[in-house]
Amino acid sequence: MTDHKVLVIGAGMGGLAAAIDLARAGCQVTVIEKASAPGGKMRQLHPGGGAGIDAGPTVFTMRWVFESLFADAGATLSDHLTLGTADILARHGWTDGSRLDLFADMERSIAAIGDLAGKADAEGYRAFCARSAAIYAVLQDSYICAERPGLFDMAPRVGLSGIPALLRTAPHKTLWGELGHYFRDPRLRQLFGRYATYTGSSPFAAPATLMLIAHVEKEGVWFVEGGMIEVARAMESLARSLGVTFRYGETVRSIRQSSGRVSAVELQSGEVMEARSIVFNGDISALRGGLIPDDRHGSPRPVAARDRSLSAVTWCLSARTSGFPLSHHTVFFSGSYEEEFRQVFRRGSICDEPTVYVCAQDRYGDRPPAGDKERLLLLVNAPATGDRAAFDPAIVEGVRQRAWRVLNQCGLSVEALDHETLCTTPADFEQLFPASGGALYGRANHGLMGSFQRPGPESGLEGLYLAGGGVHPGPGIPMATLSGRLAAKRVLDQARGTRTGWRLPQSAGGATGPGRGALSN
């Protein structure tokens, strides 16, 4: 395979994972990235030149995905990354003054829910966790770790005996509706309905299958020493050790074709780089009519504006806080939850009383920051209208005031200190990730078919493969990483003239993957 040249466009999680698997299989791999560092949406900002603040994903789960990736390349994750276990998964506050912590220890969570909402909802949580684990067990092998399945491919994968369990994953029911079977307290439906936003979706339209996220978090949430950006840096280091070349600060102008297949990329500088295969780790909407201007049928259709996932308005700042005791992950809810998603998805606007997520990056569990200030990322949901709506300073300041009002009502005071506050809007995300409109998760996962509408690793254009949060198995750091491994596998299958129906490793212990027999099983 040493003569098989592969270009990877984008150094996000999917692109990095694909580069690692391809390089260790012997391919000549070059990663082209317009930013100055790896990570894609996993990025750090430095307000006023100060300490870095994670300004993208902030939650590290499914550790086995990364342990397997490193192990298959002959390395050990712990040699590249320092992780600490989170005892408190997240803290939650409401404008009525109530609070609730979810813990890694399920019994502690049950007790906390009982104190907040009573015995019935505490037992409802126990049943909810059991349902979440059952859904995950059904979908891990048949969907998450498999090449992109269609709706009717699922039954053969689970077998006749598994069909009842498959039906209980409830893709035809909404997450919000199913939560009503477990929780009477509307605050708990708000809390667990938030799992839909992990895929950029509304809990009122997303399938109940997303309950599986509760099981993923219960299996472990970790802190990353140095911030989430260290995950990308560790993967880049591993890729370099395998011979991968990185070209940062380079923008791809177009993807060229020859004899019905991709053949090269042209950079903005005019340089042309030839390749036998190309892995595209970006928003799929940037392909047809953009990077591939003459492609009418070969690449996926752009995601329609009405089908885009959530965007966000975020603020990175150094601050002094008081009143509400923050944990590393804290979510503040107002009383207008359904209205929030109605405004974002139907009206294209930001809610008057938005949910506010705060990542206090110097806090671990209940430990306060070392000094009198701390690094914060604050986020509110926003419509993916960054390519057609103005987010001028007056509008952004209005959103900030509404978000801070919710924080104050929940008891938290935030006082910015020392440095400027860096704000990112949907328009900024559109600039960072062209053709996305600022959507951070690709297509919204709404309705029965939502989970099956993301493209798989094959683009439809020979030699071009897809990776990233906008393709199967979906958004999030581990899922995007899995997508990169699926893309690498298809490149190798095509190069060898095989199609193995490969599935990704299911766990760290006893995992199979490229290098452990999975290239041929």
Side-chain angles (χ1 to χ4, degrees):
M1 298 293 292
T2 55
D3 61 342
H4 195 99
K5 293 184 178 180
V6 184
L7 296 177
V8 178
I9 302 174
M13 294 297 98
L16 291 170
I20 290 167
D21 276 350
L22 289 166
R24 66 176 186 76
C27 297
Q28 298 180 41
V29 184
T30 300
V31 178
I32 306 168
E33 170 58 57
K34 71 174 184 177
S36 59
K41 295 184 178 72
M42 187 187 291
R43 62 197 185 108
Q44 272 194 344
L45 297 180
H46 299 263
I53 299 176
D54 285 329
T58 57
V59 182
F60 189 88
T61 59
M62 297 175 71
R63 176 175 176 165
W64 60 266
V65 170
F66 303 92
E67 289 181 332
S68 178
L69 175 69
F70 276 72
D72 290 345
T76 304
L77 179 67
S78 60
D79 289 341
H80 291 74
L81 205 61
T82 302
L83 302 174
T85 304
D87 293 326
I88 299 175
L89 302 181
R91 180 162 290 162
H92 308 84
W94 286 267
T95 53
D96 64 3
S98 56
R99 300 176 186 173
L100 176 69
D101 287 353
L102 285 184
F103 298 93
D105 183 340
M106 186 175 73
E107 294 302 323
R108 291 182 68 188
S109 295
I110 289 171
I113 289 172
D115 292 340
L116 176 78
K119 182 178 180 180
D121 276 4
E123 290 305 311
Y125 176 70
R126 189 187 300 276
F128 171 73
C129 288
R131 176 84 178 279
S132 169
I135 292 174
Y136 185 84
V138 172
L139 296 182
Q140 182 182 22
D141 184 47
S142 64
Y143 181 82
I144 296 172
C145 296
E147 290 193 41
R148 178 179 176 263
L151 177 61
F152 298 104
D153 298 328
M154 300 291 287
R157 294 187 180 194
V158 301
L160 189 62
S161 62
I163 290 178
L166 181 61
L167 293 175
R168 287 195 293 272
T169 66
H172 56 294
K173 298 180 180 180
T174 67
L175 176 61
W176 187 262
E178 283 297 282
L179 290 174
H181 295 306
Y182 300 95
F183 306 109
R184 300 174 184 175
D185 193 306
R187 293 170 297 182
L188 295 175
R189 292 179 76 181
Q190 270 188 314
L191 190 163
F192 295 109
R194 185 172 170 270
Y195 289 148
T197 66
Y198 287 27
T199 67
S201 307
S202 164
F204 301 93
T209 49
L210 293 179
M211 287 191 289
L212 65 83
I213 294 173
H215 177 73
V216 169
E217 289 193 334
K218 204 158 60 63
E219 287 290 287
V221 174
W222 287 269
F223 303 118
V224 181
E225 185 175 299
M228 295 294 291
I229 192 64
E230 293 300 327
V231 179
R233 290 171 178 165
M235 291 171 68
E236 181 207 38
S237 175
L238 177 60
R240 286 187 184 277
S241 73
L242 296 168
V244 176
T245 300
F246 286 83
R247 298 275 300 266
Y248 289 112
E250 301 277 12
T251 300
V252 173
R253 176 185 294 166
S254 66
I255 297 173
R256 293 188 173 186
Q257 301 178 57
S258 177
S259 302
R261 63 171 293 124
V262 298
S263 58
V265 303
E266 181 184 359
L267 304 180
Q268 288 288 5
S269 64
E271 180 182 354
V272 175
M273 301 177 66
E274 296 183 348
R276 182 63 180 168
S277 302
I278 296 171
V279 177
F280 179 70
N281 178 205
D283 196 288
I284 62 171
S285 296
L287 290 172
R288 187 178 295 197
L291 291 177
I292 314 177
D294 59 344
D295 176 42
R296 297 181 181 180
H297 306 291
S299 62
R301 293 179 180 274
V303 177
R306 66 179 180 277
D307 295 327
R308 290 172 179 167
S309 65
L310 291 169
S311 187
V313 177
T314 68
W315 298 268
C316 288
L317 66 156
S318 177
R320 180 184 294 118
T321 66
S322 61
F324 188 105
L326 292 170
S327 187
H328 191 81
H329 303 291
T330 308
V331 186
F332 296 92
F333 294 104
S334 69
S336 56
Y337 207 50
E338 186 169 7
E339 179 62 19
E340 175 171 359
F341 294 98
R342 182 182 295 114
Q343 286 191 232
V344 168
F345 284 107
R346 297 185 185 179
R347 301 176 189 169
S349 61
I350 299 173
C351 182
D352 293 336
E353 295 183 329
T355 301
V356 186
Y357 166 71
V358 180
C359 182
Q361 298 182 18
D362 296 303
R363 293 178 183 257
Y364 302 94
D366 278 326
R367 282 187 295 162
D372 65 347
K373 63 182 180 179
E374 54 187 312
R375 297 170 299 148
L376 301 180
L377 167 69
L378 296 92
L379 178 151
V380 301
N381 295 324
T385 55
D387 54 348
R388 63 182 192 275
F391 288 87
D392 59 47
I395 291 175
V396 174
E397 174 59 19
V399 174
R400 189 199 68 80
Q401 290 179 7
R402 300 201 300 272
W404 262 245
R405 188 179 306 122
V406 170
L407 298 179
N408 292 336
Q409 289 172 347
C410 292
L412 177 67
S413 174
V414 177
E415 176 189 358
L417 297 173
D418 297 342
H419 304 307
E420 63 180 321
T421 297
L422 294 182
C423 177
T424 308
T425 71
D428 298 318
F429 286 121
E430 159 68 17
Q431 291 296 312
L432 289 167
F433 313 110
S436 68
L440 298 177
Y441 313 86
R443 177 187 293 272
N445 190 10
H446 289 166
L448 172 63
M449 298 302 297
S451 300
F452 303 99
Q453 291 177 319
R454 296 175 183 272
E458 293 186 80
S459 70
L461 182 60
E462 188 175 354
L464 178 64
Y465 305 87
L466 307 175
V471 305
H472 176 77
I477 298 167
M479 298 299 195
T481 301
L482 292 177
S483 79
R485 305 202 71 182
L486 286 169
K489 180 61 183 65
R490 293 307 302 136
V491 171
L492 297 174
D493 274 356
Q494 294 287 355
R496 294 166 177 167
T498 63
R499 186 176 183 90
T500 62
W502 176 65
R503 285 179 172 80
L504 289 162
Q506 297 180 44
S507 64
T512 60
R516 293 190 179 181
L519 287 178
S520 58
N521 65 8

